Amino acid sequence: MTEQSMEPVEGAAARAERLRVFLVDDHAMFRAGVRAELGAHVEVVGEASTVAEAVTRIAATLPDVVLLDVHMPDGGGRAVLEAMRRTHPQVRFLALSVSDAAEDVIGLIRAGARGYVTKTISPEELAAAVRRVADGDAVFSPRLAGFVLDAFAARPDAPVADPELDQLTNREREVLRLLARGYAYKEIAKELYISIKTVETHVSNVLRKLQMSNRYELSRWAADRRLV
């Protein structure tokens, strides 16, 4: 009898039942921490730090549950969901984020996530949440569950209020949208029939109102809100 065949039946069965989990987060240290904490409970089958990596690797590994960050450099967790949910409906997604903003939570749920928990969750609670999502339950951090229910029960199709976006004028939103799509100032000016100086003024106003410092941050913010 080989060493492998002598393995206890209980141990083999336990491993066979371990959930296959994929981690999506743009911070390597955070992924390492989650992997270490969940390693006793699940099998981490892959990781990604960008939307593009996540879409490719999730399709290749087909995990049971994806732990999904909300804000990432090239589009955020919502972009991953929108790319995956129709082609891979068997994969379930649980958002894991520092953000407890209503627009983030509602946006991810509308896009197809089965739950949303914040990064203050304990390892044991996170493992339990992963198991529940894999079983088909919806899971939310207690503080988030109330306004999620309110948002969907009151007006299911109503847009989520966004105080940050609401402070921008229509023209500033147009400039922001083109900027996030990669247009140069000269191209934005031509597209909107305004001067380059006016474009610069609008961009400066948007940066000030949103308290951001550069075009990269603006593009990421716009992509997360599906303004692009």
Side-chain angles (χ1 to χ4, degrees), residues 71-91:
H71 297 286
M72 292 186 292
D74 57 345
R78 187 164 184 162
V80 177
L81 273 163
E82 291 173 345
M84 301 297 302
R85 66 175 181 174
R86 291 183 180 174
T87 56
H88 299 81
Q90 74 278 27
V91 179

Side-chain angles (χ1 to χ4, degrees), residues 23 38 43 58 77 93 111 113 121 125 131-132 137 141 168 188-189 195-196 200:
L23 308 179
L38 288 186
E43 178 185 1
I58 292 170
F93 291 83
I121 194 171
E125 290 171 333
R131 170 66 66 182
R132 289 180 58 194
D137 293 340
S141 293
L168 304 183
I188 295 174
S195 69
I196 295 177
E200 292 174 347

Side-chain angles (χ1 to χ4, degrees), residues 20 54-63 84 88:
R20 302 174 73 254
V55 171
T56 299
R57 295 179 183 176
I58 292 170
T61 54
L62 295 178
M84 301 297 302
H88 299 81

